[in-house]
Amino acid sequence: MEKGKVRKVIPAKDGRKIPRKTECDEEENNSVKRKVYMDYNATTPLALEVIQTVTEAMQEAWGNPSSTYKAGRKAKETISRARESLARMVGGQPEDIIFTSGGTEANNLIIHTALRCFRESWVLGENGPGEKHSKLQGVTPHFVTSSVEHDSVRLPLEHLVRENMAEATFVPVSKVTGQAEVDDIIGAVRPTTCLVSIMLANNETGVIMPIPELCQRIQILNQKRTASGMPKILVHTDAAQMIGKGRVDVEDLGVDYLTVVGHKAAELVNKTCEVYEAHMQEVRDYLEARLEAVFGKQKIHFNSRFSGSRRLCNTCNFSILGSGLQGHKVLSCCKTLLASVGAACHSKKGDNQPSSILLSCGIPYDVAQNALRLSVGRDTTHHDVDLVVDDLKEAVAQLEQSSTPLT
């Protein structure tokens, strides 16, 4: 109990004395309960419709979908509807949808599929199937990706390189646009390149990559490669962050493979994407305006604003400038805000290094280490924003006061 506070006690039946809750206690409890979630880029809280659908499936569609009894037939119908919904969401065909356990497995599957396709194509070469020769000997498949990719792409490629199973080029992003530029990606292509994998939208900065332009250029390259008997370059984009925040169409993009993730609620996206997108952008813009108004333009640096680039409608990556205001410290002092300093999958216990993604984008070290990533969602309101900005203001004041030397 804090000094100066007196609590009344009431006797229990066994003689013990139990503190009686005071008005102050109630206010503290209420403040603890009121949280504002702004980490939608990590995952999305389940909508009531999703909870209801999942519950019904577990109750009625629990059977083996290959079986003929009722629960099995129901499971098969449910999977078929889900496949059709996903196909509509991305402009594809139901038979092209492959279900995996998550985005990480999907990205790994694509990388290893490209590896296998390259080996088969290179061995066949111009001699056609059935020809026994060792054309693959001494030929190492090559991958092209960017320096700001998700770990589920970067780590398996780094593993293949370490095992001498592949070569990989990690193309730096432009310090001006935050994008992996098409010319730089095409410049990294080799005769042995089997896959180009560039995310559609970055999960930390929100910058949208020029995938349609890239695919057009690679299509031209592939025409020349096919004419000379060389393997085709496959193109993959991880679209996990774009789903629900912008239009995604595989035909318009021109990719061979596209990854989406299950926790973005496909049927709702099909019905309400434009409404969600407009709402999130309006709230995100309000958030950035409030941050500037409270902290001042000289104290706020927006790490996700790049000249000439589009970005996700919901993402705000920023740093509050000043010594001792590292992102993890600010978050630890917040009582309302639930957010992150970057991608949750990159976080390591005790690792307070700035985001490698931001550093790759040219954000200075001392600015990057203060970064916070706030991502709003369909349910975020102006009131939520006001609560969060006030919370950040108090957290910063607390940190600055604690770092001020006594005179």
Side-chain angles (χ1 to χ4, degrees), residues 96-109:
D96 294 330
I97 302 297
I98 300 173
F99 290 116
T100 66
S101 64
T104 295
E105 183 184 348
N107 287 342
N108 276 260
L109 175 64

Side-chain angles (χ1 to χ4, degrees), residues 131-281:
E131 184 71 18
K132 294 183 179 180
H133 52 72
S134 57
K135 287 188 69 176
L136 188 62
Q137 186 173 356
V139 177
T140 305
H142 174 246
F143 292 81
V144 178
T145 189
S146 80
S147 62
V148 296
E149 293 298 312
H150 191 273
D151 276 359
S152 59
V153 169
R154 180 180 64 83
L155 292 179
L157 289 182
E158 289 179 346
H159 173 76
L160 290 174
V161 171
R162 284 195 303 271
E163 296 296 315
N164 296 316
M165 297 174 64
E167 296 175 335
T169 300
F170 295 84
V171 177
V173 295
S174 165
K175 304 298 190 293
V176 176
T177 65
Q179 294 179 336
E181 299 292 346
V182 174
D183 286 343
D184 295 334
I185 298 169
I186 296 298
V189 169
R190 305 175 187 173
T192 54
T193 299
C194 62
L195 179 72
V196 173
S197 179
I198 306 292
M199 57 173 36
L200 186 52
N202 186 265
N203 49 323
E204 292 196 31
T205 64
V207 169
I208 298 172
M209 303 295 177
I211 301 301
E213 296 86 350
L214 173 63
C215 289
Q216 290 170 9
R217 294 281 296 276
I218 291 182
Q219 185 178 12
I220 295 172
L221 279 181
N222 279 335
Q223 291 172 354
K224 297 178 181 178
R225 289 168 70 101
T226 301
S228 61
M230 296 173 63
K232 175 186 175 182
I233 301 171
L234 300 172
V235 183
H236 162 246
T237 190
D238 184 341
Q241 288 301 329
M242 181 64 86
I243 295 298
K245 306 163 193 171
R247 186 170 178 268
V248 176
D249 189 295
V250 289
E251 294 296 329
D252 290 345
L253 292 171
V255 296
D256 298 292
Y257 298 102
L258 179 140
T259 299
V260 299
V261 288
H263 58 270
K264 304 299 182 183
E267 191 63 35
L268 291 176
V269 170
N270 284 333
K271 293 178 181 178
T272 58
C273 182
E274 292 182 0
V275 175
Y276 282 175
E277 185 178 355
H279 169 74
M280 287 187 286
Q281 181 161 336

Side-chain angles (χ1 to χ4, degrees), residues 75-90:
K76 187 172 184 178
E77 292 171 5
T78 301
I79 293 171
S80 296
R81 285 199 305 271
R83 195 182 299 277
E84 291 169 359
S85 292
L86 283 167
R88 284 196 303 272
M89 182 176 70
V90 299

Side-chain angles (χ1 to χ4, degrees), residues 1 31 33 194 321 340 353 362:
M1 186 183 301
S31 67
K33 292 178 182 178
C194 62
L321 305 181
S340 64
Q353 297 299 310

Side-chain angles (χ1 to χ4, degrees), residues 350-392:
D351 182 5
N352 298 321
Q353 297 299 310
S355 162
S356 61
I357 303 298
L358 295 184
L359 295 177
S360 296
C361 292
I363 304 299
Y365 188 97
D366 59 334
V367 176
Q369 67 179 354
N370 287 19
L372 294 169
R373 183 191 68 175
L374 271 56
S375 46
V376 304
R378 60 182 179 266
D379 297 323
T380 312
T381 66
H382 281 207
H383 180 59
D384 292 332
V385 170
D386 292 336
L387 290 174
V388 163
V389 174
D390 287 343
D391 194 28
L392 287 169

